[in-house]
Amino acid sequence: MIVAEHLEGKLNASTAKCVSAAQALKPESIDIVVLAADPAGVAAQAAQIAGVNKVLAVANAANANAIAQVQAPQVAALAKGYSHVFGPSTTFGKDLMPCVAALLGVAQVSDVMAVEGSHTFKRPIYAGNAIVTVEAPADHAVVATVRTASWPEAAGGGSAAVEAASVDAALPSHTRYVGLAAGKSDRPDLQSAKRVVSGGRGVGSQENFKIIYDFADKLGAAVGASRAAVDAGYVPNELQVGQTGKIIAPELYVAVGISGAIQHLTGIKDAGTIVAINKDGEAPIFEIADIGLVGDLFKLLPELETALG
């Protein structure tokens, strides 16, 4: 069973990535559960993912917003009879799945990046510098989060059955939704963008970050940043890429003025092509970059923009 992530009626791409991870288990069937006040639209989107057997639509006004403490008892109740319960290793999944695991009395397997067997998985440790193989006990359900950067989206074109499901679970009232503060941007979402341009401490200031935004717009890319740039106040923290930020896997990642601390490299190691621009030719980022440009970013970026037409 996979718990769908969605917002404002749109299914998040992380759900299809969880399906890919589930398919690696070669299960008898894969079901997706959609928790919402009105799940019909999201359930219809989930039903189109290839390889899905059925979609369980749970309608409850309490599910209007994704609150882990409210959704976890419902997921735990629905989990009976399932061998595995997967959620994405996103903010949503990291919040929800540990609560589900606790209610089921099992230890969670976090950040699954490879499936070795029905209860054997690989996951990163030490900021992604080592990969550990973990084995979950075979006598109870496996609750896991799926490292979305390590899995492709499952194909579309499916036509799974959608079933209305009712859940008999006591929902807590001590945790309630107050509001969502989110930055508005016309640029692609950082978590799912195919192209990302990130700036680091080398950009120098909040005002100078305009050069990163301009270059990203030229590429049709999302904008990211290193922790150093966020801590310096150049950009808001929702743009942070790395171990304590977002783990991403774009087709193209351009790192501008980023030295390449190990925590940052953790967030981008699954990127397709990594381009580094830095005036320090000894910067660690060049060790993993596919293409490196040593030079002044304020000179190179405008030249690249011109070359892009």
Side-chain angles (χ1 to χ4, degrees):
M1 182 175 81
I2 293 166
V3 185
E5 177 176 1
H6 58 92
L7 183 65
E8 296 177 348
K10 192 168 186 286
L11 185 70
N12 191 289
S14 64
T15 307
K17 294 186 175 188
C18 287
V19 171
S20 288
Q23 287 172 330
L25 290 164
K26 297 182 172 58
E28 289 179 19
S29 66
I30 298 171
D31 297 348
I32 293 179
V33 58
V34 176
L35 300 140
D38 179 7
V42 175
Q45 295 169 50
Q48 293 174 11
I49 301 174
V52 176
N53 178 50
K54 68 180 175 183
V55 178
L56 302 173
V58 181
N60 190 325
N63 293 328
N65 299 289
I67 303 171
Q69 288 69 24
V70 172
Q71 294 191 345
Q74 300 172 73
V75 175
L78 288 166
K80 291 178 175 60
Y82 286 96
S83 59
H84 297 70
V85 184
F86 280 3
S89 191
T90 57
T91 303
F92 165 80
K94 288 177 179 178
D95 195 25
L96 172 63
M97 301 310 287
C99 298
V100 174
L103 289 170
L104 293 176
V106 302
Q108 175 182 291
V109 181
S110 301
D111 268 345
V112 169
M113 61 188 301
V115 172
E116 299 287 293
S118 64
H119 290 71
T120 310
F121 310 93
K122 285 189 174 181
R123 63 175 300 267
I125 57 172
Y126 301 131
N129 285 294
I131 309 300
V132 65
T133 301
V134 295
E135 188 167 345
D139 58 350
H140 53 61
V142 175
V143 175
T145 57
V146 173
R147 182 181 168 92
T148 53
S150 299
W151 298 91
E153 289 180 40
S159 56
V162 178
E163 296 180 7
S166 58
V167 184
D168 183 19
L171 305 184
S173 57
H174 62 278
T175 304
R176 59 192 179 276
Y177 179 83
V178 174
L180 173 66
K184 295 289 182 187
S185 174
D186 293 331
R187 295 183 180 88
D189 172 60
L190 177 58
Q191 199 89 49
S192 56
K194 302 296 184 188
R195 293 187 282 271
V196 174
V197 178
S198 280
R201 195 201 306 271
V203 177
S205 70
Q206 183 176 350
E207 292 73 28
N208 286 351
F209 228 83
K210 182 179 184 300
I211 198 169
I212 303 296
Y213 288 119
D214 290 347
F215 187 63
D217 289 344
K218 193 76 174 178
L219 288 175
V223 173
S226 68
R227 177 165 182 167
V230 171
D231 287 350
Y234 300 169
V235 290
N237 61 6
E238 62 259 28
L239 298 188
Q240 185 176 319
V241 173
Q243 185 182 6
T244 52
K246 291 181 169 68
I247 309 292
I248 59 175
E251 293 171 3
L252 172 66
Y253 185 78
V254 184
V256 183
I258 295 175
S259 63
I262 203 157
Q263 291 84 355
H264 187 79
L265 302 186
T266 298
I268 62 168
K269 59 172 56 198
D270 291 305
T273 299
I274 298 173
V275 178
I277 300 173
N278 200 301
K279 65 181 180 183
D280 178 10
E282 301 299 315
I285 190 78
F286 288 118
E287 293 178 18
I288 67 153
D290 299 289
I291 300 168
L293 287 173
V294 179
D296 184 348
L297 69 92
F298 296 103
K299 180 172 177 290
L300 289 174
L301 282 189
E303 288 178 0
L304 283 170
E305 271 194 62
T306 303
L308 286 166

